[in-house]
Amino acid sequence: KAGVTQTPRYLIKTRGQQVTLSCSPISGHRSVSWYQQTPGQGLQFLFEYFSETQRNKGNFPGRFSGRQFSNSRSEMNVSTLELGDSALYLCASRAGLSSYEQYFGPGTRLTVT
Amino acid sequence: DAKTTQPPSMDCAEGRAANLPCNHSTISGNEYVYWYRQIHSQGPQYIIHGLKNNETNEMASLIITEDRKSSTLILPHATLRDTAVYYCIVDQTGANNLFFGTGTRLTVIP
């Protein structure tokens, strides 16, 4: 079974631009979560989607948004990029809302200049 | 938000058992103990989880004290590939909003 895939793996953007990151979960998994990892703040939860609905949201500004498609693939969008948005963005999938294990992708490294 | 306390770093000799402690004195009755690890430049990897009883799988063993206020992750025969940051997390069944904290950086020494 293929693991969680994320595209692109690396991205460089300029302040003020917007960016869209993509995540394909493990086949059959219906829940997708997004996390931001920075050296200063560690791993922080952004949001979770299940059956195309946002189920839970972390403490991030509205510039961070996401969506999930009917095939469970998910996208995350960050608008009006700031330097502090430079981070590793990780996507994780799990089979369902009561599943214990989350499977993480390799992440997208976003650099904002 | 931090519900767990872990030592910031540990060393272990290759081939020996690595015992990683975690304190979670405020754990609730419906919260599980999860362990994940993150090898440099990769996404976190699930290792094991437990509620009350000790658990073992192909990767590790999890020992939870009777009062559930602390636990120990045991890697029975550490290899160089086990060098990683290990996160101990407590959370409710099915919850996804995992708080990873700062973890323990385990270095396996040849």
Side-chain angles (χ1 to χ4, degrees):
Chain A
K1 216 183 236 189
V4 177
T5 58
Q6 293 186 245
T7 57
R9 292 293 312 278
Y10 302 91
L11 203 51
I12 300 175
K13 288 286 189 178
T14 305
R15 269 182 303 177
Q17 289 186 315
Q18 67 93 28
V19 67
T20 298
L21 312 181
S22 180
C23 171
S24 292
I26 291 172
S27 177
H29 285 195
R30 296 171 62 194
S31 163
V32 173
S33 296
W34 288 90
Y35 290 80
Q36 181 197 65
Q37 185 171 31
T38 60
Q41 299 296 320
L43 264 159
Q44 293 186 285
F45 171 76
L46 279 156
F47 30 65
E48 179 189 31
Y49 285 86
F50 179 81
S51 293
E52 302 178 65
T53 302
Q54 188 179 91
R55 303 284 303 187
N56 204 353
K57 191 176 191 302
N59 188 24
F60 278 82
R63 300 185 297 107
F64 292 81
S65 63
R67 60 178 176 168
Q68 186 180 35
F69 302 96
S70 57
N71 61 358
S72 294
R73 190 177 69 85
S74 177
E75 287 182 348
M76 193 195 97
N77 184 276
V78 188
S79 62
T80 319
L81 283 166
E82 301 176 0
L83 294 179
D85 297 333
S86 294
L88 181 67
Y89 289 88
L90 291 157
C91 166
S93 78
R94 54 180 179 154
L97 293 179
S98 59
S99 301
Y100 298 108
E101 303 174 30
Q102 288 195 60
Y103 297 86
F104 283 80
T108 294
R109 172 76 60 188
L110 171 65
T111 301
V112 182
T113 62
Chain B
D1 285 324
K3 297 181 182 179
T4 64
T5 304
Q6 299 177 253
S9 64
M10 291 181 63
D11 291 339
C12 177
E14 189 178 16
R16 304 297 295 269
N19 297 279
L20 292 92
C22 179
N23 286 320
H24 31 79
S25 58
T26 61
I27 191 170
S28 302
N30 62 350
E31 288 182 318
Y32 283 68
V33 179
Y34 296 84
W35 283 84
Y36 281 76
R37 72 180 183 184
Q38 187 172 24
I39 296 169
H40 184 61
S41 298
Q42 297 181 22
Q45 177 190 24
Y46 166 86
I47 301 173
I48 199 167
H49 76 278
L51 183 63
K52 287 190 284 191
N53 300 322
N54 299 336
E55 303 287 345
T56 296
N57 63 20
E58 64 279 4
M59 287 184 68
S61 295
L62 174 60
I63 309 297
I64 303 174
T65 58
E66 195 168 338
D67 62 6
R68 302 211 322 127
K69 293 185 177 182
S70 66
S71 60
T72 301
L73 178 75
I74 301 172
L75 308 179
H77 305 287
T79 70
L80 299 179
R81 288 177 294 180
D82 292 323
T83 292
V85 178
Y86 287 77
Y87 297 98
C88 170
I89 303 161
V90 297
D91 218 300
Q92 295 174 2
T93 307
N96 67 294
N97 184 358
L98 300 179
F99 182 80
F100 278 77
T102 55
T104 295
R105 182 173 298 277
L106 174 69
T107 303
V108 180
I109 302 168

